Amino acid sequence: MRIVIAGGHGQIALRLERLLAARGIKAAGIIRRAEQGDDLRDAGAEPVVLDLESASVEEVASALRGADAAVFAAGAGPGSGATRKDTVDKGAAVLFADAAVLAGVRRFVIVSSMGADPRHEGDEIFDVYLRAKGEADAYVTSLDALDWTVLRPGSLTDDAGTGLVRLEAHTGRGSIPRDDVAAVLAELLDTPATAGLTLELVSGSTPVSVAVRSVAGN
């Protein structure tokens, strides 16, 4: 298998790349700066230098061709302003989805956020972020050419993963270590029957593999 990950140098993406490498799965991570490449190689992934804020859909599709799945894990980051919420959290996600369609990559997993909603109200930066993520989710889920899964984690922490989660259509608010988000992503990629689902994720009491199997096909 070959998985292409947008936002390949992100905290969740690097964890996912390590997990995929441990499973013998080839991963390619799209990064903005060449100097980030060594971190991806250390994680067992192939770096692909491409700026999703300026690249064409054809350029992104070229990076995706031959892949078995695509993961959108990019984000403008907590220190960014409203403009980059639109160009990255929404715009880059839309571009990546369009490129996957053009490249013929059906399996598509997008890392969203709990509370993402295109109709979310408010003018604070986090409100803009939740709207942008919601608009990205709405676009991805409208594409019949994709076998999509939307994953909406709760508040992210750097605590060590426990491998125990709650993964449902609606979990209620909560937090989740980035380790466990990456573990769930790896399991979702290995479980095609989770296509067509929008799932919330927080820490819980169910092992990751069991939690993913329990929602598959629902």
Side-chain angles (χ1 to χ4, degrees):
M1 288 185 69
R2 180 173 182 265
I3 312 297
V4 178
I5 303 167
H9 193 256
Q11 295 184 68
I12 291 173
L14 286 169
R15 288 167 166 84
L16 175 60
E17 288 154 5
R18 294 187 192 99
L19 291 175
L20 294 175
R23 295 184 179 196
I25 297 171
K26 294 179 180 179
I30 295 177
I31 54 177
R32 295 181 64 198
R33 300 192 299 275
E35 58 266 28
Q36 297 171 329
D38 285 345
D39 290 336
L40 270 73
R41 294 183 192 96
D42 289 345
E46 168 200 352
V48 177
V49 180
L50 196 61
D51 188 345
L52 295 178
E53 289 181 271
S54 61
S56 69
V57 67
E58 291 82 7
E59 288 172 326
V60 182
S62 179
L64 280 161
R65 284 195 176 91
D68 297 283
V71 178
F72 186 82
S80 60
T83 298
R84 295 200 71 230
K85 304 303 183 191
D86 186 65
T87 58
V88 179
D89 293 291
K90 176 187 173 183
V94 168
L95 173 68
F96 198 57
D98 285 342
V101 172
L102 183 60
V105 179
R106 288 201 63 92
R107 188 70 175 113
F108 193 97
V109 179
I110 181 169
V111 182
S112 182
S113 173
M114 189 173 293
D117 184 346
R119 296 172 301 279
H120 181 84
E121 296 182 354
D123 299 318
E124 299 297 325
I125 293 295
F126 193 64
D127 299 321
V128 176
Y129 168 76
L130 290 178
R131 274 198 301 277
K133 294 299 269 186
E135 288 165 358
D137 294 351
Y139 186 80
V140 168
T141 59
S142 74
L143 297 176
D144 293 337
L146 296 180
D147 295 328
W148 52 264
T149 303
V150 177
L151 183 64
R152 292 177 169 171
S155 300
L156 299 171
T157 75
D158 288 324
D159 297 338
T162 65
L164 300 173
V165 301
R166 182 178 178 190
L167 180 69
E168 299 170 14
H170 301 287
T171 62
R173 296 285 177 177
S175 62
I176 181 81
R178 289 178 173 87
D179 286 348
D180 289 333
V181 177
V184 168
L185 287 170
E187 205 67 31
L188 289 172
L189 289 167
D190 199 40
T191 313
T194 55
L197 300 178
T198 297
L199 300 165
E200 294 183 349
L201 173 66
V202 294
S203 292
S205 58
T206 305
V208 166
S209 60
V210 176
V212 172
R213 285 199 304 271
S214 71
V215 298
N218 292 345

